[in-house]
Amino acid sequence: MTNRMNRALETWEETKGIISNEFWYAAANRMYYACYYMTTALLIKQGYSASTHSEVIRLFGQYFAQASFHAKWGVYIAKCMNCVSPVIMMTG
């Protein structure tokens, strides 16, 4: 879990340099993965495991976005991950 959290923070930091150079698709890619790594860390901490990106999104929605406190953030994260996924697929 700690490795995933560290990877999320490192990936987020990478994004700053990418944005300063105006590489927007690469920045979207790095932001997506920062969210992905942090979400997988949360799932691991709670005893869940996922092997695909869609499974991470599904588990997050099922176990965290359904709770009233997390609903707003769950919808936001799911929308971000779903919007950025096609861009990542198109750009390789």
Side-chain angles (χ1 to χ4, degrees):
M1 178 196 65
T2 303
N3 290 339
R4 289 287 179 155
M5 289 176 63
N6 289 337
R7 182 71 176 131
L9 297 173
E10 288 172 13
T11 303
W12 186 258
E13 288 301 315
E14 290 172 6
T15 304
K16 294 176 184 179
I18 294 168
I19 288 172
S20 69
N21 288 303
E22 298 183 6
F23 293 115
W24 306 116
Y25 289 115
N29 176 286
R30 295 290 78 205
M31 287 186 276
Y32 171 87
Y33 276 97
C35 290
Y36 173 78
Y37 294 136
M38 193 58 78
T39 303
T40 57
L42 174 64
L43 292 172
I44 291 167
K45 181 178 181 189
Q46 298 300 317
Y48 304 110
S49 85
S51 57
T52 65
H53 289 240
S54 60
E55 195 173 357
V56 168
I57 294 167
R58 183 186 64 76
L59 287 171
F60 181 82
Q62 182 177 350
Y63 293 108
F64 299 98
Q66 298 299 322
S68 61
F69 178 78
H70 298 291
K72 178 180 171 184
W73 291 107
V75 170
Y76 176 73
I77 289 172
K79 283 183 179 180
C80 288
M81 292 181 84
N82 285 325
C83 288
V84 174
S85 292
V87 172
I88 291 168
M89 298 302 177
M90 291 185 325
T91 61

